[in-house]
């Protein structure tokens, strides 16, 4: 059973240090680099695997899990690395990275080169759900990662990944719906969507897209014995998304306090 207390504590500690990094007497820092479709996140842990710093930037350098702007991606990771190094007054050497499941042969080279091109020594490349599960620690159930461009569905049995799938529906579609309904530009819709005070008003507008994601989940899990769904990914920050998914799938659905930081933290934990 998931130890949400541990997961929420880790995420909470991380949220605090994203705003104000902690100087630590650690002899080594571990960095997680999460190159996402919508967002690039760097998370830094000390030798005891406690969060000490973090930074993120919305970017358009990855699409459907593939690095589409290689130079842009290196620049962002380099910039965020430098920003964190200045705050921590140290050099960040070691980093791990993650790739969407199933893209290993296709693209892991690009992700590796981005992390190394930004000046890190790469210690590990793992798949995103495995990274998320370093924080969640679940044995059985489905981890559903609703990111910017995609929704990843991973089924675990006795702690092992037995099924993975990726569907190209994610937060970008939410912003497109808002943009259409409110006559906003995509960028304005993105900003509007991320403000939690707008979530109550947005939920009915976004319900059809959330229900579409729920039916995608249903389709993928139908042949498995899934009793719990665990939500991660930035799009799951939308208040109320968990209730719609739970209702539509009929499966008990959980989400940690800030689902956006689960995978980046898991990557750093695997460094
Ligand atoms: P992918 O997993 O598809 O590669 P990613 O890793 O960039 O994408 P995440 O960082 O997990 O995805 O999430 C980014 C998405 O989360 C974006 O679509 C963003 O608009 C959305 N998002 C971030 N914060 C919020 C919020 N507070 N409310 C709603 N959506 C949010």
């Amino acid at each position: 059973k998931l130890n949400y207390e541990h997961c929420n504590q880790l995420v909470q500690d991380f949220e605090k240090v994203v705003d104000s990094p902690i100087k630590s007497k650690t002899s080594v820092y571990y960095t997680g680099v999460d190159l996402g479709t919508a967002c690039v996140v760097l998370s830094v842990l000390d030798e005891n695997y406690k969060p000490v710093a973090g930074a993120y930037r919305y970017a358009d350098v990855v699409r459907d899990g593939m690095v589409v702007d290689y130079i842009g991606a290196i620049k962002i990771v380099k910039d965020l690395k430098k920003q964190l190094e200045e705050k921590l007054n140290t050099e960040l050497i070691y980093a791990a990275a993650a790739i969407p499941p199933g893209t290993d042969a296709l693209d892991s080279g690009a992700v590796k080169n981005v992390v190394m091109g930004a000046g890190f020594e790469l210690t590990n490349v793992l798949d995103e759900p495995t990274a998320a599960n370093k924080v969640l620690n679940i044995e059985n159930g489905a981890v559903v990662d609703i990111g910017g461009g995609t929704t990843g569905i991973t089924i675990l049995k006795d702690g092992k990944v037995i099924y993975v799938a990726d569907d190209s529906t994610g937060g970008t579609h939410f912003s497109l719906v808002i943009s259409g309904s409110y006559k906003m530009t995509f960028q304005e819709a993105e900003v509007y969507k991320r403000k939690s005070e707008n979530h109550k008003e947005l939920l009915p507008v976004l319900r059809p897209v959330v229900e579409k994601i729920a039916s995608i989940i249903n389709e993928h899990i139908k042949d498995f014995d899934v009793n719990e769904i665990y939500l991660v990914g930035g799009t799951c920050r939308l208040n109320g998304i968990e209730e719609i998914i739970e209702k539509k799938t009929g499966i008990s659905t959980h989400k940690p306090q800030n689902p956006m930081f689960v995978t980046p933290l898991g990557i750093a934990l695997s460094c």
Side-chain angles (χ1 to χ4, degrees):
K1 187 112 185 115
L2 168 68
N3 180 356
Y4 255 128
E5 229 169 85
H6 163 78
C7 170
N8 281 337
Q9 190 61 53
L10 199 64
V11 173
Q12 236 177 46
D13 291 347
F14 182 65
E15 277 185 309
K16 280 188 209 142
V17 299
V18 168
D19 295 326
S20 37
I22 302 170
K23 282 197 181 126
S24 164
K25 289 203 179 83
T26 186
S27 58
V28 65
Y29 288 96
Y30 303 115
T31 306
V33 179
D34 188 7
L35 282 175
T37 310
C39 200
V40 176
V41 188
L42 261 64
S43 51
V44 185
L45 309 180
D46 69 9
E47 61 193 355
N48 299 315
Y49 296 98
K50 295 263 175 291
V52 288
Y56 62 94
R57 189 178 302 169
Y58 283 93
D60 204 7
V61 292
V62 173
R63 219 162 282 157
D64 294 337
M66 302 287 136
V67 177
V68 289
D69 177 2
Y70 182 67
I71 303 295
I74 293 182
K75 188 177 176 319
I76 291 172
V77 177
K78 242 187 195 164
D79 284 355
L80 294 176
K81 178 177 186 279
K82 188 160 169 263
Q83 183 186 316
L84 291 171
E85 287 175 336
E86 278 167 8
K87 286 185 176 160
L88 291 168
N89 196 22
T90 189
E91 190 191 353
L92 297 173
I93 300 169
Y94 304 109
I99 51 169
T103 61
D104 196 3
L106 231 52
D107 202 45
S108 75
V111 172
K112 281 180 198 159
N113 289 334
V114 168
V115 176
M116 292 191 292
F120 280 112
E121 202 168 294
L122 187 71
T123 59
N124 195 6
V125 178
L126 68 166
D127 64 81
E128 287 168 356
T130 304
N133 206 28
K134 294 265 173 201
V135 177
L136 297 171
N137 283 316
I138 66 164
E139 288 281 315
N140 294 294
V143 176
V144 176
D145 178 356
I146 315 178
T150 57
T151 293
I153 297 142
T154 305
I155 302 176
L156 289 118
K157 188 168 186 271
D158 302 327
K160 294 216 163 49
V161 173
I162 56 163
Y163 178 81
V164 288
D166 225 19
D167 187 278
S168 56
T169 309
T172 303
H173 300 83
F174 288 45
S175 302
L176 287 172
V177 168
I178 297 167
S179 163
S181 309
Y182 287 70
K183 309 281 176 268
M184 289 175 179
T185 64
F186 178 80
Q187 222 29 58
E188 287 164 347
E190 263 290 318
V191 173
Y192 195 78
K193 178 187 76 174
R194 285 188 226 133
K195 292 195 175 132
S196 61
E197 64 265 32
N198 296 331
H199 285 177
K200 204 166 172 213
E201 169 200 316
L202 284 175
L203 205 60
V205 179
L206 295 173
R207 182 176 284 272
V209 208
V210 180
E211 286 182 344
K212 185 191 166 202
I213 290 179
S215 22
I216 291 165
I217 300 171
N218 275 336
E219 192 49 38
H220 284 286
I221 64 175
K222 69 176 191 298
D223 296 330
F224 300 91
D225 184 21
V226 172
N227 298 314
E228 317 272 346
I229 290 172
Y230 300 92
L231 298 178
V232 298
T235 295
C236 296
R237 286 173 110 174
L238 180 74
N239 295 325
I241 191 171
E242 62 279 20
E243 277 128 42
I244 302 177
I245 292 178
E246 182 166 89
K247 196 158 176 224
K248 191 90 182 147
T249 57
I251 295 171
S252 172
T253 300
H254 316 273
K255 99 172 170 183
Q257 236 162 47
N258 188 340
M260 183 159 158
F261 291 140
V262 171
T263 304
L265 278 168
I267 301 172
L269 283 173
S270 317
C271 184

